[in-house]
Amino acid sequence: MRLVPLFIVAVFVSVVMRSSFVNGEAIPSTADGPFKPVTVPLDKSFRGHAIDLPEDDPRIQRTATGWEPEQISVSLSSNHDSAWISWITGEFQIGENIKEWDPKAVGSIVRYGKWRSAMTSKAIGHSSVYSQLYSFKGLQNYTSGIIHHVRLTGLKPNTLYYYQCGDPSIPAMSDVHYFRTMPASGPRSYPARIAIIGDLGLTYNTTSTIDHLMSNNPDLVLLIGDASYANLYLTNGTGADCYSCSFPDTPIHETYQPRWDYWGRFMQPLVSKVPLMMVEGNHEIEEQIENKTFAAYSARFAFPSEESGSSSTFYYSFNAGGIHFVMLGGYADYNKSGDQYRWLKTDLAKVDRKVTPWLVATWHPPWYSTYTAHYREAECMRVAMEDLLYKYGVDIIFNGHVHAYERSNRVYNYNLDPCGLVHITIGDGGNREKMAITHAKEPGNCPEPSTTPDKFMGGYCAFNFTSGPATGKFCWDRQPDYSAYRESSFGHGILEVKNETHALWTWHRNQDAYGTVGDMVYIVRQPVRCPVEPEMIKLKV
C-alpha cells in the first residue's frame, strides 16, 4: 500500500476542518450517514408568485436591431480547451403564412482573445433555423431567427476570454462579452462553484432564483431540463398553469415558441458570461407535424455530443476540472440494447478516476423521489441503468421534474448502501406549474401502479416492493429511509468540490436572504471503502 506523507494529511485535514463549521454548527457529512429522514413543513407564506413574466416585461423585450446578435450564451465542449458561443440574429415569425430565414444570409463569426483590446483569434461556425409547424386549421406556425453556434478552440485552462459574435461584413457584431474557461482536468483542479437548477420557467419566481444564483457567482450552470415552459401556451399566446386541465380538447399539444425567445433574452446577462449546460426535460418534447419532437431544444443549445462520442443531443459528457459530468436523456431510449446505454457504458469505462475523481450524472425525471408528483415514473430507466452507474461508482445524481427539493442518503435499489449514490432532486427553479407539496406516503396520495408508466417512452416497470419495510406495498407508510431531507420551496443549489474526496453541497431557498442556506452537507467519496475497478475498452484498429 502506498503511504501518504503526514504533512499532506495534515494540510488536507486542516482545510476540511476550517470549512466544516457554519455559525458554530458542524456541517453534516455523508460519511456520517445515513441520516434520519427530515421533512421541513411547507412555508405557506411563499406559495404564490409562480406567474409568468408578461410579454411587455422589459427583461424579455427584443433590444437588438437588424441582424445584431441576441440571446447570446456560452456552453462547454468536452474539455477545457474549447467552448461554444451561441446566439440568434433576426426576429422570429409566427402566423399562418411564414417563411424561414436563409441561414446563409448572416455569417457565424466569433472574434476572441485574452485581452479586450486584442481579440485576434477568429472562429467560424454554422447556423440553422427551426420551425414548429401544425397541420390543424387555426393554429399558428412558428419559425425562429437564425441560430448560430461557433466552437472556439485552443483555449487555455482557467483563463478569462473576451469575445464578440456576429457578422462583421454587415456589420452586425455584439458588444464585447467575456467568460472563463474550466480548469484543466486533474485531481486538485475544480471550478469554485457550480450552480444546479431545474424546471426553471420564466416566472417572477424564476427571476428570484436567477438573482440568488448570480449572487453566488457560479463558474458553471447546469440546467436539468424544462427551461421555457413554452408548451403551457396555445399558439395564440394563451397560457395556463395546467395545459391538460385548461385545454383538454386541442387536437395536438400546442406550444407558443416565442416564450423560448423571451427566455433566451432574460437569461443572456447570466449565460453570456457563465457557461450553461442543458439536458432535455419533458417540457422540451413539443410534438409537431410528422411526430417531430425536441426541435427547439436541439436547435437552440450547443452540445458537446460529437466531442464526447455521442450521436445525440439528448446525452453527452464533459469534464470540468476534476469532475466528469454525464448528461443523460430521460426521454431517449435508455434500454440496454439501445444507443444511449452503449454510449454510456463506453463513456464510463473511459473515465480515469486519477484524473477526474468525481463522477456526476444528471437527467430530468428522478428515480428516488418521495413526492406524489411523478412518483416512480422513471422506474424503467432506473431498472435499465442503475446497476451500471453503481458499478462505476457515480458519486452524485441531479434530477428535476418534481417541483420541490429532496436529497437522499446513499442508496442503491431502494436500500441504504454506503457505496450507493446520492440523489438530489432540484426541480424547484420557479416554473408556472408551482410546487409539489404532497408526499406519496400520505393517505390517499399513493398512486395506483397503473398510473405511473413513462408516458413518452411507453415503459412500465413500477410494481409493489418485494422486500424491505414497504414489502407488498407501492408506497412506504412513512418517509422512506433513503430520503434524508425534503422541502417544498423554490430555489437553486451550489456544488463546491474541495478536493478528491470532499464536495460541499448547499441548497438556497428563494425566500431566504442572500447567502442563507436551506440545506448543507459534505458529500464524501470513499474510494478505499468503495473501489471502482476500471474496465479496459477494446478499441477497433
Side-chain angles (χ1 to χ4, degrees):
M1 178 183 296
R2 187 177 63 179
L3 298 178
V4 179
L6 289 178
F7 79 91
I8 294 179
V9 174
V11 170
F12 166 78
V13 172
S14 175
V15 170
V16 173
M17 290 305 294
R18 281 201 303 269
S19 57
S20 294
F21 291 85
V22 173
N23 297 326
E25 296 185 4
I27 300 173
S29 158
T30 57
D32 302 325
F35 304 107
K36 183 179 179 180
V38 172
T39 299
V40 175
L42 177 68
D43 180 359
K44 296 183 179 179
S45 68
F46 198 72
R47 180 72 208 283
H49 307 299
I51 300 170
D52 274 339
L53 298 184
E55 294 188 346
D56 61 356
D57 190 292
R59 290 169 290 188
I60 63 177
Q61 292 294 300
R62 185 171 189 257
T63 58
T65 59
W67 295 108
E68 291 178 353
E70 65 161 333
Q71 304 178 51
I72 301 167
S73 65
V74 182
S75 56
L76 302 179
S77 188
S78 56
N79 286 298
H80 73 267
D81 57 359
S82 61
W84 288 92
I85 307 296
S86 303
W87 70 95
I88 293 179
T89 53
E91 180 64 292
F92 65 80
Q93 301 169 65
I94 186 166
E96 294 184 3
N97 299 307
I98 59 174
K99 183 179 180 181
E100 290 187 348
W101 294 111
D102 177 6
K104 298 179 181 179
V106 183
S108 305
I109 298 169
V110 175
R111 289 175 172 166
Y112 62 101
K114 290 186 284 186
W115 295 275
R116 184 186 182 99
S117 59
M119 294 181 290
T120 56
S121 297
K122 176 181 175 181
I124 300 174
H126 63 271
S127 59
S128 65
V129 299
Y130 80 91
S131 295
Q132 189 79 15
L133 305 175
Y134 302 100
S135 58
F136 302 98
K137 186 177 180 180
L139 304 191
Q140 298 189 76
N141 294 321
Y142 169 96
T143 185
S144 70
I146 301 173
I147 302 172
H148 306 262
H149 299 300
V150 177
R151 185 182 176 200
L152 314 187
T153 58
L155 306 178
K156 302 297 183 182
N158 197 28
T159 300
L160 192 69
Y161 281 89
Y162 294 90
Y163 71 94
Q164 278 185 301
C165 58
D167 186 343
S169 68
I170 294 179
M173 295 293 286
S174 72
D175 293 336
V176 176
H177 298 273
Y178 62 87
F179 71 97
R180 182 171 293 277
T181 55
M182 290 295 103
S185 294
R188 296 176 180 84
S189 177
Y190 301 98
R193 295 180 186 86
I194 301 169
I196 317 290
I197 48 176
D199 302 70
L200 192 58
L202 190 55
T203 70
Y204 290 102
N205 275 110
T206 306
T207 65
S208 178
T209 298
I210 296 301
D211 285 347
H212 278 72
L213 183 154
M214 292 179 72
S215 74
N216 277 318
N217 297 313
D219 302 283
L220 171 65
V221 177
L222 303 187
L223 176 50
I224 317 301
D226 288 359
S228 73
Y229 285 79
N231 73 336
L232 290 185
Y233 284 77
L234 301 179
T235 62
N236 64 10
T238 302
D241 295 347
C242 172
Y243 184 98
S244 60
C245 307
S246 301
F247 315 122
D249 300 322
T250 54
I252 191 172
H253 191 135
E254 301 172 41
T255 173
Y256 187 59
Q257 289 294 297
R259 296 299 302 185
W260 274 108
D261 295 283
Y262 305 157
W263 188 86
R265 293 166 188 164
F266 172 78
M267 293 293 289
Q268 178 176 309
L270 171 64
V271 299
S272 61
K273 61 183 179 182
V274 181
L276 172 73
M277 303 305 286
M278 170 75 174
V279 71
E280 82 278 5
N282 58 299
H283 283 273
E284 276 75 61
I285 295 173
E286 298 186 320
E287 182 182 356
Q288 55 173 302
I289 60 169
E290 299 178 348
N291 298 319
K292 186 176 181 179
T293 54
F294 295 104
Y297 165 81
S298 295
R300 289 177 177 270
F301 298 94
F303 307 93
S305 300
E306 182 178 350
E307 301 102 280
S308 61
S310 169
S311 60
S312 172
T313 60
F314 300 146
Y315 48 90
Y316 59 91
S317 65
F318 65 95
N319 291 335
I323 313 168
H324 184 72
F325 285 98
V326 178
M327 314 289 277
L328 297 178
Y331 303 95
D333 183 5
Y334 41 66
N335 293 319
K336 293 183 179 180
S337 60
D339 290 340
Q340 180 175 198
Y341 188 92
R342 287 193 293 269
W343 170 83
L344 174 61
K345 188 174 182 180
T346 300
D347 187 81
L348 292 176
K350 289 179 180 178
V351 176
D352 185 347
R353 302 302 279 269
K354 294 179 181 179
V355 178
T356 52
W358 287 86
L359 185 49
V360 177
T362 74
W363 61 88
H364 188 60
W367 296 348
Y368 290 96
S369 170
T370 61
Y371 286 84
T372 306
H374 309 298
Y375 180 71
R376 300 182 69 185
E377 184 180 283
E379 190 75 354
C380 286
M381 186 182 181
R382 186 193 70 81
V383 170
M385 290 186 163
E386 187 176 29
D387 285 349
L388 190 61
L389 300 183
Y390 181 81
K391 172 184 176 181
Y392 282 101
V394 172
D395 299 299
I396 314 172
I397 302 293
F398 290 108
N399 303 116
H401 202 38
V402 176
H403 303 157
Y405 173 74
E406 186 165 15
R407 171 175 54 83
S408 80
N409 285 306
R410 290 196 174 276
V411 59
Y412 168 63
N413 194 27
Y414 291 104
N415 294 307
L416 296 176
D417 187 316
C419 298
L421 286 64
V422 176
H423 292 254
I424 296 175
T425 298
I426 191 155
D428 56 349
N431 69 84
R432 182 171 178 165
E433 290 181 318
K434 299 183 180 179
M435 291 183 294
I437 59 174
T438 62
H439 306 112
K441 74 175 183 64
E442 296 160 355
N445 286 337
C446 183
E448 290 294 325
S450 60
T451 66
T452 61
D454 181 334
K455 296 178 181 179
F456 183 74
M457 295 301 300
Y460 181 83
C461 302
F463 303 97
N464 289 346
F465 293 103
T466 57
S467 62
T471 300
K473 301 176 183 178
F474 194 64
C475 302
W476 291 53
D477 59 4
R478 64 180 191 274
Q479 184 174 354
D481 295 340
Y482 59 78
S483 175
Y485 183 100
R486 63 187 182 187
E487 182 176 353
S488 297
S489 289
F490 293 123
H492 75 282
I494 296 289
L495 181 67
E496 301 173 69
V497 177
K498 303 296 185 180
N499 50 48
E500 299 98 316
T501 59
H502 286 66
L504 181 62
W505 167 254
T506 55
W507 173 63
H508 301 261
R509 307 182 191 93
N510 283 4
Q511 66 265 41
D512 293 336
Y514 291 105
T516 303
V517 173
D519 182 34
M520 176 180 285
V521 65
Y522 271 109
I523 299 175
V524 180
R525 298 182 61 247
Q526 296 180 294
V528 175
R529 184 180 189 182
C530 307
V532 178
E533 293 295 331
E535 180 177 311
M536 297 302 295
I537 295 296
K538 296 181 179 179
L539 300 176
K540 294 182 179 180
V541 179

